[in-house]
């Protein structure tokens, strides 16, 4: 299917702009998408229910679904505009194993009781955009939403021993902290400690392009 040309004008926060059919496009979502799909497919269960948190434009889940067809995928996002974009991407690139997007703010307490249990949870590029308290809530709810044997995954940039790993990351982290007080990169050890405290079994972090990491942990049976 030929994609309509992007229309010009306000991009609602996404540098790639919007398509005429309502799809939004984010360079951050597509830049390392193929690498994420490859890595996630290696650790994901072969079948079950999969929950994507903060699905954003929908440009990840339209690749996850065909690459992992044994999973039933549920996209979520708190933004009506982004949920509309997900619906538009699913209309343009349909897959039988993806549900309609639902409203979910993963940094609010209690959502695990209504969105679990699930066999896989994926979250990309959110923790550095929220406060530590919000990130802690998100990680706690992810652990609680997993079914026994379920796998939690988080992708994004992280501090290592309190330090960024490149000049670009240092500049971006500083900008986040200046523009959004309380936000910024979270330390790898802090994130893994949150899950370990909830009884999850941690896997070694997987190195990804652009100094990012894919973190994963399993809930005991």
């Amino acid at each position: 299917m030929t994609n309509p040309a992007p229309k010009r004008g306000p991009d609602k926060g996404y540098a790639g702009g919007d398509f005429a059919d309502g799809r939004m496009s984010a360079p951050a979502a597509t830049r390392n998408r193929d690498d994420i799909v490859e890595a996630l497919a290696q650790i994901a269960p072969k079948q079950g229910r999969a929950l994507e948190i903060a699905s954003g434009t929908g440009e990840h889940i339209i690749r996850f679904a065909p690459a992992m067809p044994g999973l039933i995928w549920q996209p979520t996002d708190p933004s009506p505009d982004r949920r509309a974009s997900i619906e538009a991407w699913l209309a343009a690139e349909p897959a039988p194993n993806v549900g309609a997007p639902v409203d979910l703010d993963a940094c609010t307490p209690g959502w695990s009781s209504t969105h679990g249990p699930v066999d896989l949870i994926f979250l990309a590029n959110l923790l550095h955009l929220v406060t530590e308290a919000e990130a802690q809530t998100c990680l706690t709810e992810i652990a609680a939403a997993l079914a026994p044997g379920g796998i939690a995954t988080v992708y994004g940039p992280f501090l290592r021993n309190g330090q960024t790993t490149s000049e670009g990351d240092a500049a971006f982290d500083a900008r986040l902290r200046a523009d959004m007080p309380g936000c910024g990169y979270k330390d790898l050890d802090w994130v893994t400690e949150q899950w370990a405290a909830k009884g999850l079994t941690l896997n070694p972090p997987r190195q990804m392009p652009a100094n990012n990491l894919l973190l994963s942990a399993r809930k005991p049976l």
Side-chain angles (χ1 to χ4, degrees), residues 140-151:
T140 297
E141 293 296 319
I142 287 174
L146 288 176
I151 298 172

Side-chain angles (χ1 to χ4, degrees), residues 35-36 39-40 43-44 51-54 60 64 73 106-107 111 120-130 134-143 146 150-160 184-188 190-195 200-209 211-218:
D35 297 283
I36 295 172
L40 188 60
I43 59 176
L51 180 69
E52 184 185 25
I53 297 171
H60 279 154
F64 293 162
W73 289 87
C107 293
W111 62 260
L120 176 68
I121 298 177
F122 176 78
L123 169 65
N125 294 323
L126 176 66
L127 296 185
H128 57 289
L129 301 178
V130 299
E134 290 170 326
Q136 185 175 35
T137 296
C138 180
L139 294 168
T140 297
E141 293 296 319
I142 287 174
L146 288 176
I151 298 172
T153 58
V154 172
Y155 168 87
F158 298 92
L159 301 175
R160 277 77 146 182
Y185 285 22
K186 308 301 182 288
D187 195 88
L188 168 62
W190 180 84
V191 174
T192 56
E193 286 167 4
Q194 302 304 308
W195 276 348
L200 301 190
T201 300
L202 302 167
N203 297 317
R206 179 166 181 147
Q207 296 286 338
M208 301 294 288
N211 299 311
N212 290 328
L213 295 174
L214 180 66
L215 309 183
S216 65
R218 182 183 297 272

Side-chain angles (χ1 to χ4, degrees), residues 60-85:
H60 279 154
I61 207 160
I62 59 169
R63 292 291 181 269
F64 293 162
M68 291 161 270
L71 293 169
I72 305 300
W73 289 87
Q74 178 61 66
T76 71
D77 203 278
S79 165
D81 286 346
R82 297 178 194 179
R83 294 197 301 273
S85 175

